Amino acid sequence: GTQHSPGVQPADLEEVVKKGVKTMVIGRGMSEALQVPPSTVDYLKKNGIDVVVLQTEKAVEEYNTLAAQGVRVGGVFHSTC
C-alpha cells in the first residue's frame, strides 16, 4: 500500500526493524520517485539503525556489499519508477 508520496512510512519498516538490523537500505526506485520523509529516517535513527537511501540499483549494490561484510542489514526496494 505504499505510494510514491508520502512514500516509505515508519509502519512500512516495522517488520524489518524487529529483526534487529543495524543498517537499513531503502531503494527509491529506478527514477527515485518513491519519497522517504524525514520522519521515516528519524524513526530508524531513534531505533539505533543507520539509514542509506539511494536509487534502487545503487541501493541493491550497497545492500549486497554490506551483507557480504557481515553487517546486519535490512532493505526495502522500490523496483519501478
Side-chain angles (χ1 to χ4, degrees):
T2 301
Q3 301 294 317
H4 290 147
S5 181
V8 180
Q9 300 297 299
D12 299 327
L13 304 175
E14 286 178 354
E15 183 178 338
V16 180
V17 169
K18 288 178 184 176
K19 300 208 180 272
V21 300
K22 299 298 178 193
T23 301
M24 179 74 71
V25 179
I26 301 174
R28 294 188 53 215
M30 301 307 281
S31 300
E32 299 184 81
L34 183 66
Q35 301 299 305
V36 181
S39 60
T40 299
V41 173
D42 291 344
Y43 164 75
L44 292 167
K45 288 182 177 181
K46 286 179 183 174
N47 280 282
I49 299 170
D50 293 327
V51 186
V52 180
V53 180
L54 299 167
Q55 185 267 356
T56 292
E57 288 175 311
K58 293 176 182 171
V60 169
E61 290 176 18
E62 181 69 10
Y63 176 93
N64 288 334
T65 297
L66 292 168
Q69 294 171 355
V71 175
R72 289 189 56 109
V73 61
V76 292
F77 305 96
H78 188 56
S79 59
T80 60
C81 307

